[in-house]
Structure formats: structure tokens, C-alpha cells
Amino acid sequence: MEIEVFTTLNGIPDETINSKTIIVIDVLRATTTITAALAAGCLEIIPVLTPEEAIEMRERLEDDRVLLGGERNALKIPGFDLGNSPLEYTADVVAGKRLIITTTNGTRAIRRAASGRQVLLGAMINGPAVARVAAAGAADITIICAGTRDRFSLEDFLTAGLLVDELGNQGDFTLRDGARVARDYYRLHREDPEAAMKASYHGQLLAGLGMEDDVEYCAQVDITTIVPVYSSGIIKSPDRGTE
Amino acid sequence: MEIEVFTTLNGIPDETINSKTIIVIDVLRATTTITAALAAGCLEIIPVLTPEEAIEMRERLEDDRVLLGGERNALKIPGFDLGNSPLEYTADVVAGKRLIITTTNGTRAIRRAASGRQVLLGAMINGPAVARVAAAGAADITIICAGTRDRFSLEDFLTAGLLVDELGNQGDFTLRDGARVARDYYRLHREDPEAAMKASYHGQLLAGLGMEDDVEYCAQVDITTIVPVYSSGIIKSPDRGTE
């Protein structure tokens, strides 16, 4: 079995997605926030591409448990209930709720992965748990970094490296080049992933907007065993049941 | 001024190419071979996308100094004069000749870069020289790794890291995430880039075909000051004049 890492969504060959186990990473902040929301008791999350699609879907669902969350340019979208900070998604806000979310890079990445055999959402906070579930699938694993507007994101690649490193403890995988480099890069920073993440372009952007707390939260390794699974357009955590 | 690195050709935003200094890397083996050919006295090199295009161009040029070179699946193309090994491109073969070349990834990458303000071809063997020329351009620098059929190539990223590291000695550049990670990855392997290159997917492929000598040649750092420049469809080394 192989592990491969792609640094952006662009031009990922279909044959590396179809029938593979896919792990999507947008660690600052979509996949961290989604994991945090499910850990706080959110029932399910529907990722959509645009704010308009989110608003239309809320109207269509006619369910007063629905919340809208997400960001554009890192900031909360006007009319939405929540932004994209994992710190907002506490149990008193999201427990027992359904969430429709749209983010700049993360939701595009999740949708791109849709034809995978199994689609998991990975972050630092749930990295080891995601690696265990992915390894149990006994298939090739493709890790997709959402990147930042078609560019390489340090923080997503670092997180990919954590996953590759953890997967190496779970099974006998052949590492393709992207996976090998990501793992080595993570090992270089394993003592202080927070410092590496703060040095990233996106980390600096968030700090400049006063969101350094978010970066610190997202850089924590292994604080939850929640593994978000995307299937048929909906993200749930199997550990949590459905509702 | 910024430096950015892209790990494949796919989805590179036009605004990161237009009016930038571009360095194209396909270190195993196209950009190494092109550099070696120019160092051996080849007059100019025309990169084309297909073997058919190469044969048609030779007929059109009506110049008995023209040689055809390149590979498909790492092997010499039937009817061509030369393959894609830098070791073939010696002075007794290529001095005073014009070369038409087609390779799987390298020529696509060079053509993608065409709208750059200046387009340089980088490899390990000429890395420091390329960094000096690029820095002298006093513009943002975009490094394009050709990759291997849309996938991350360890050896190209390693070479990108060498270039970023050298550029850091030449000027005051802001590193975007791809550049920062590539530089750190190169520094991790700077004592033995050959070992890193041999561990790559493409390095192992070439070794399996009996071409380990090529990998060893391509992993040498700073053995020539030849800097191939691509302009108006033709690659030349300004140091060498035209003919």
C-alpha cells in the first residue's frame, strides 16, 4: 500500500482519488474547526462552496437546528451564525445542531475528494486518530492538502507529515515522494509544531487579524479521537452516531 | 521580493508567472541534461512537446547540425540521436550542434513558464550560478518543479531548496511557504543530496533501469556556471554567445 501527498487541489489525477482512502487537510482552520464542532456535539456538517449555497440550503432544510458557519478572507460571513474559529464551536453553541459550512479552501478540497472510497478530515488535533482509522481501511492513502488559493501551505504539509509519521506506526506503507518529504519535514518540527505553524503565511495572516489563539489551538497534536468522515455530501463522526 | 515554489505544473496561477523571474527544475534529468549540453558547447536547444513535433521541426530547419534528443518512459525515443542522459551530451557529440529535445515532464514545464519575464533552467549542477543570475533580476522569483506526471518529485523539491538557500545569500527575499519548506528540506540533506535523490521515486526508477550513474551526475552541486535561459522558444546560455 502507498501513501501520497498532494500540496494543492490542482491537477490531482483521478486515479489517485477513486477507490483510495482520502485524508483532506485544511488545518488552518476548516478541518480543525469541523473536528472541534463534532467533538462538541454537533450532529452533522454540510460543506458547501458558496455563502449563497449555504443560505439556500438552510431555507430548504426548514430545520431550526441549522447553523451557518464559515469565512471569506478569514472573517465571518455577514448573516452567518459562526465564523471559522474552532474556539467558537463550543458545546453550548453547537451541541445537537446541524451545521452548514463554507470556507475558501477547505470545502473545495472536501468536495474534490468525494470520489474516494473513504474520505476523512485530518488536522493536528485528531492526527493520530485519523491515522488509525485510515490504516484500518487497508487501501492506498492519498492525503490532500487544501493549500491557500492554489499555493503550497506550510501548515497543511506539516499536518500531512504528522499523518504519514503516524501511519508508519500503523502499517507497512510505501511512501511516494510527497509523503516522504512531508514526513521528514514534520519530524524536523515535531518538538514544536506550533512555532512552525506560526511561521507560515496563513499563521502570520491570522496573527495579524488577532487570531493567534486559533493558530495555537490548531497546532495542538492529538487532543481528540473524533474523526470526521465525509460521505454523500455530509460530514459526521461515526463515533458519535447520527442523532 | 518574494520567492515561491510550486511542486507541480498544475494550477499555477498566471500572476505568479507573468512578469516574474522563473526557474524551471526537472533535475532528473531534463534541466541537468540541457545544462550539460550547453556546457559541452551545444549552440542552442529547442524544447518541444512531442516526438512528432521534434521530427517535423528537424525537417523544417534543413540544418545538418541538428540533433534530436529526449525520452519517453526514461528511454531514448526510436529514431532519435540521443536519449535524456547528461552523460551522453559530451563535447564530441554536441559541440557546435543545435538540439531539439522532448521529455515527459521537463519540456511541458519549460513551456508553461514561457510568459515569465526571464526563464532560467535550474539543476543541482548549476544551482549557485542560477541563483546568482536570478537574484540579479531584482524581481519576485517563482520556482517551478516539473514533478513526475502531475505528482510531487522529491528531487525537484530538493533542488528548489538548494536554490532558495543560495538565493538567501544573494538578496533579501521573503519566502512564501513552498520556498520555506523546500529550503528547510534541502538543509536537512545538504551533506548528502545524492542519498536523498537516490531515495526518490524517480531515482529508484532510473537505478532500476541501470542509470544510477545519471542520478549521481545530477546530484552534484555547483560543477558548472552555465545558466540556460529560455526565450522565444529557444534555450541558450548567454555566457556562450549564440553561434
Side-chain angles (χ1 to χ4, degrees):
Chain A
M1 293 177 298
E2 281 189 349
I3 311 175
E4 182 57 295
V5 172
F6 290 92
T7 57
T8 70
L9 306 184
N10 294 310
I12 301 179
D14 286 337
E15 68 268 22
T16 61
I17 295 190
N18 302 341
S19 80
K20 310 288 186 187
T21 297
I22 313 296
I23 305 172
V24 176
I25 298 171
D26 184 12
V27 69
L28 288 180
R29 298 167 287 171
T31 56
T32 303
T33 297
I34 288 167
T35 303
L38 291 171
C42 179
L43 299 174
E44 63 179 31
I45 297 166
I46 305 170
V48 299
L49 294 176
T50 65
E52 296 70 29
E53 199 182 340
I55 290 163
E56 280 168 26
M57 185 169 287
R58 174 163 63 180
E59 286 167 7
R60 204 163 58 241
L61 289 175
E62 293 188 345
D63 179 346
D64 57 16
R65 296 173 305 172
V66 169
L67 296 174
L68 298 190
E71 56 74 35
R72 282 299 177 274
N73 300 314
L75 300 175
K76 193 170 97 165
I77 298 162
F80 274 42
D81 303 296
L82 294 154
N84 193 29
S85 166
L87 302 173
E88 295 176 71
Y89 289 74
T90 51
D92 57 316
V93 177
V94 301
K97 303 285 189 183
R98 301 167 74 187
L99 176 68
I100 301 170
I101 196 165
T102 181
T103 71
T104 312
N105 305 292
T107 44
R108 279 177 60 220
I110 293 164
R111 301 269 279 238
R112 175 65 186 96
S115 61
R117 202 175 70 110
Q118 184 177 35
V119 181
L120 312 175
L121 274 54
M124 287 280 181
I125 63 171
N126 67 350
V130 170
R132 285 192 294 275
V133 172
D140 289 339
I141 296 172
T142 297
I143 300 176
I144 299 179
C145 297
T148 306
R149 295 185 186 279
D150 305 327
R151 286 161 173 263
F152 192 110
S153 281
L154 186 157
E155 69 278 10
D156 290 340
F157 197 66
L158 183 73
T159 308
L162 162 66
L163 285 161
V164 176
D165 202 36
E166 291 287 337
L167 284 163
N169 299 329
Q170 301 288 331
D172 187 20
F173 291 99
T174 301
L175 304 189
R176 293 293 297 245
D177 282 3
R180 180 185 295 270
V181 175
R183 183 200 60 185
D184 290 355
Y185 186 69
Y186 174 70
R187 287 181 177 173
L188 194 62
H189 293 286
R190 73 186 321 158
E191 300 307 321
D192 195 355
E194 182 184 303
M197 216 180 265
K198 283 183 172 174
S200 73
Y201 179 83
H202 203 153
Q204 293 180 343
L205 180 79
L206 290 171
L209 292 167
M211 301 180 186
E212 199 162 39
D213 289 353
D214 278 14
V215 182
E216 289 168 7
Y217 181 87
C218 295
Q220 297 173 98
V221 175
D222 196 19
I223 64 168
T224 175
T225 58
I226 290 289
V227 177
V229 177
Y230 176 71
S231 177
S232 304
I234 298 175
I235 301 164
K236 292 182 181 177
S237 170
D239 298 344
R240 292 260 157 187
T242 50
E243 61 184 283
Chain B
M1 293 177 298
E2 282 190 348
I3 310 176
E4 180 58 295
V5 172
F6 290 93
T7 58
T8 70
L9 305 186
N10 295 310
I12 301 178
D14 286 337
E15 69 267 22
T16 61
I17 294 190
N18 302 341
S19 79
K20 310 288 186 188
T21 296
I22 314 295
I23 304 172
V24 176
I25 298 171
D26 184 12
V27 68
L28 288 178
R29 297 167 289 169
T31 55
T32 303
T33 296
I34 288 167
T35 303
L38 291 170
C42 180
L43 300 174
E44 63 178 31
I45 297 167
I46 305 169
V48 299
L49 294 176
T50 65
E52 296 70 28
E53 199 181 342
I55 290 165
E56 280 168 27
M57 185 168 286
R58 174 163 63 180
E59 286 168 8
R60 205 162 58 240
L61 289 175
E62 292 188 347
D63 179 347
D64 57 14
R65 295 174 304 173
V66 169
L67 296 174
L68 299 189
E71 56 74 33
R72 282 299 177 274
N73 301 313
L75 301 174
K76 193 171 97 166
I77 298 162
F80 273 42
D81 302 298
L82 294 155
N84 193 29
S85 167
L87 302 173
E88 295 176 71
Y89 290 72
T90 52
D92 58 316
V93 177
V94 301
K97 304 285 190 182
R98 301 167 75 188
L99 177 68
I100 301 169
I101 197 165
T102 180
T103 71
T104 311
N105 305 293
T107 44
R108 280 177 59 220
I110 294 163
R111 301 269 279 238
R112 174 68 187 93
S115 61
R117 201 176 69 110
Q118 182 177 38
V119 181
L120 311 176
L121 275 54
M124 287 280 182
I125 62 171
N126 67 349
V130 170
R132 285 192 293 276
V133 172
D140 290 339
I141 295 172
T142 297
I143 300 177
I144 299 179
C145 297
T148 305
R149 295 184 185 280
D150 306 327
R151 286 162 172 263
F152 192 110
S153 282
L154 186 157
E155 69 276 10
D156 291 340
F157 196 67
L158 184 73
T159 308
L162 162 67
L163 284 161
V164 176
D165 202 36
E166 292 287 335
L167 283 163
N169 300 328
Q170 301 289 331
D172 187 20
F173 291 99
T174 302
L175 304 190
R176 293 295 295 246
D177 282 3
R180 180 184 295 270
V181 175
R183 183 200 60 184
D184 290 354
Y185 186 69
Y186 174 71
R187 286 181 176 173
L188 195 61
H189 293 285
R190 74 186 320 156
E191 299 307 321
D192 195 355
E194 183 184 301
M197 216 179 266
K198 283 184 172 174
S200 73
Y201 179 83
H202 203 151
Q204 293 180 343
L205 179 81
L206 290 172
L209 293 168
M211 299 178 187
E212 200 163 39
D213 288 354
D214 278 14
V215 182
E216 289 168 8
Y217 181 87
C218 295
Q220 298 173 97
V221 175
D222 196 20
I223 64 168
T224 174
T225 58
I226 290 289
V227 176
V229 177
Y230 176 72
S231 178
S232 304
I234 297 174
I235 301 163
K236 292 182 181 177
S237 169
D239 298 345
R240 293 260 157 187
T242 49
E243 60 185 282

